[in-house]
Amino acid sequence: MRQAVLNLEESMIRQVANAGMGRTDVLKFWFGESDEVTPAFIRDAAAASLQQGETFYAHNLGLPELREAIARYATALRSPGAAPIGAERIAVTSGGVNALMLAVQALVDAGDEVVAVTPVWPNLTAQPAIMGAVVKCVSLKPVAGQWQLDMAELLSAITPKTRLLIVNAPNNPTGWTLTRAEQATILAHCRRTGTWILADEVYERLYFEETARGCAPSFLDIASPEDRLVVAHSFSKSFLMTGWRLGWLVMPPSMTLHMGKLIEFNTSCAPVFVQRAGLMAIERTADITPRVVNHLKICRDTLVPLLQAVPGVQVAPAKGGMYAFFRLEGQDRFRDSFDTAKRLVVEAGLGLAPGNAFMVNPASEAQGWLRWCFASQDIARLGQGVERLKRWLAL
């Protein structure tokens, strides 16, 4: 096998979860998904498609009607004056992970320099490494539990030698979100250096600040259609469709045909019945996403104060996403967050994700931090989890 593949680290989140698999006494908050099932009308659309015999290949880029619906949906979220997004810029993918990998395959050669803003979901740094790229990380900095970007540090890291910048905002795991001014600064700098931007905006709608269109700032609000910008999205989070594996890319029109060729050699196409489910989700967004976001805000506003009341816990409310990213302070025994997460499963029956799973450098700022996915239908589970954490800390 290629050395780049052999060098891949096994997911720390999966390793922690494996330690608790089969245990009914573990409160599980380790994976980034809601425990609420996909709405019935979406499942019914998929079932109807199967009953109608839609079991054949589709266009590489996706069903035309789904691409059109995604284009309308994406355009409706944009700020006044933003360039409209046409279907000629949309590619339907087999999940957000697939969308991101396709973008990296399309843009990155072996030996290319890639800059990534971390902490971040580990796939985003592993994907360019698989392609043989040299990945440089610029870390957000925690200030009183809130993570912030050092813009000067990021801009100095992006040079004409930088092929691609990868940025995820709203961010998994920290909840950090780029401001419109920061996006404008980054876009202008990358235009000067000729650097592509891969923006992972899958948490765009899971945003808790007041905005005119109910979403976080997007690079699509300020970019021109032919900017070197690719934006990845997913049906997983805001439509409660994690297991369906359906996503999309927004890209320059001149890139779309070639992306279709690349999809052919990866998956051929997303399954038609899954695309029918996605089309129903888009058409009935108003029946899903606002309710999901409102519930997640209640979950956040329940969990964070409970954690803040625990001695030795440092946490701030996230602006977006579905995670509380918190630090256990003051004791060396919590320094290795991977070890802490495994111990919490075994000793406390509490399943969390370790902070160092989201960093390339194991001695990074995320050591000692833990990620708690608060997307829980039963809000009482969050309080039960905090009680387990408190009892464990008291041991």
Side-chain angles (χ1 to χ4, degrees):
M1 292 185 71
R2 293 173 53 234
Q3 194 60 45
V5 176
L6 294 174
N7 290 344
L8 290 173
E9 298 285 343
E10 184 181 358
S11 167
M12 290 185 186
I13 304 170
R14 286 283 181 182
Q15 290 182 63
V16 171
N18 289 342
M21 288 296 180
R23 285 185 52 179
T24 58
D25 62 326
V26 176
L27 291 173
K28 301 168 184 176
F29 303 104
W30 40 46
F31 293 142
E33 64 178 350
S34 171
D35 58 0
E36 182 179 351
V37 72
T38 306
F41 55 83
I42 296 176
R43 290 180 277 136
D44 290 344
S49 174
L50 289 171
Q51 288 297 321
Q52 292 164 16
E54 291 188 318
T55 59
F56 303 99
Y57 292 127
H59 194 289
N60 295 136
L61 290 168
L63 295 173
E65 53 266 50
L66 178 56
R67 294 175 66 202
E68 290 284 355
I70 290 171
R72 291 192 299 269
Y73 170 81
T75 298
L77 294 178
R78 302 285 62 85
S79 298
I85 298 167
E88 75 281 357
R89 298 180 62 190
I90 304 295
V92 177
T93 64
S94 298
V97 184
N98 180 234
L100 291 161
M101 189 70 213
L102 286 164
V104 171
Q105 288 176 335
L107 296 174
V108 174
D109 275 322
D112 279 348
E113 179 182 283
V114 174
V115 171
V117 177
T118 56
V120 75
W121 184 51
N123 291 43
L124 287 174
T125 51
Q127 288 169 338
I130 290 170
M131 298 303 297
V134 178
V135 181
K136 295 168 55 178
C137 297
V138 174
S139 179
L140 303 169
K141 303 295 191 296
V143 179
Q146 198 76 259
W147 291 73
Q148 300 178 8
L149 174 66
D150 184 330
M151 183 62 73
E153 181 183 0
L154 177 63
L155 297 185
S156 66
I158 302 169
T159 73
K161 294 191 298 184
T162 306
R163 175 64 175 172
L164 178 67
L165 167 67
I166 300 176
V167 59
N168 165 226
N171 174 259
N172 172 13
T174 66
W176 162 78
T177 303
L178 280 164
T179 66
R180 177 60 39 74
E182 288 172 329
Q183 288 174 332
T185 298
I186 291 169
L187 180 61
H189 183 79
C190 288
R191 283 170 173 164
R192 289 191 293 269
T193 61
T195 300
W196 282 85
I197 299 171
L198 174 54
D200 176 357
E201 297 184 357
V202 301
Y203 295 98
E204 177 187 34
R205 296 298 303 275
L206 305 188
Y207 192 58
F208 308 121
E209 304 291 298
E210 290 292 330
T211 63
R213 287 167 172 74
C215 61
S218 169
F219 279 100
L220 293 170
D221 292 322
I222 57 174
S224 66
E226 283 296 346
D227 267 318
R228 292 189 168 192
L229 170 69
V230 179
V231 179
H233 276 281
S234 171
F235 284 84
S236 291
K237 313 299 181 180
S238 52
F239 295 108
L240 301 175
M241 294 178 66
T242 53
W244 295 78
R245 313 316 306 134
L246 190 65
W248 73 88
L249 287 167
V250 184
M251 69 200 82
S254 58
M255 186 177 177
T256 311
L257 172 66
H258 305 291
M259 185 60 71
K261 293 185 292 184
L262 191 55
I263 291 171
E264 168 63 28
F265 298 118
N266 275 264
T267 59
S268 293
C269 58
V272 173
F273 72 94
V274 174
Q275 295 191 61
R276 294 294 184 200
L279 183 59
M280 180 60 71
I282 288 281
E283 290 175 350
R284 294 190 58 177
T285 300
D287 297 324
I288 314 169
T289 304
R291 176 181 61 80
V292 169
V293 175
N294 182 65
H295 181 74
L296 287 175
K297 188 174 187 298
I298 293 170
C299 290
R300 182 199 67 168
D301 293 345
T302 298
L303 176 62
V304 170
L306 291 175
L307 285 173
Q308 289 173 330
V310 178
V313 171
Q314 183 184 79
V315 63
K319 292 183 178 180
M322 55 174 62
Y323 312 106
F325 201 50
F326 67 97
R327 178 165 59 187
L328 299 176
E329 296 181 306
Q331 299 188 46
D332 289 339
R333 67 185 176 120
F334 304 134
R335 176 63 184 163
D336 184 339
S337 57
F338 180 46
D339 178 70
T340 300
K342 289 190 294 184
R343 289 178 55 203
L344 279 167
V345 171
V346 174
E347 300 170 12
L350 180 61
L352 305 176
N356 49 340
F358 303 93
M359 300 294 290
V360 174
N361 177 10
S364 69
E365 287 90 344
Q367 275 287 18
W369 292 72
L370 296 161
R371 189 195 73 176
W372 187 316
C373 179
F374 51 67
S376 177
Q377 269 192 287
D378 181 4
I379 294 176
R381 290 178 67 247
L382 302 173
Q384 294 165 9
V386 173
E387 287 302 314
R388 292 189 183 191
L389 177 64
K390 287 167 64 176
R391 287 197 298 269
W392 184 77
L393 290 172
L395 294 177

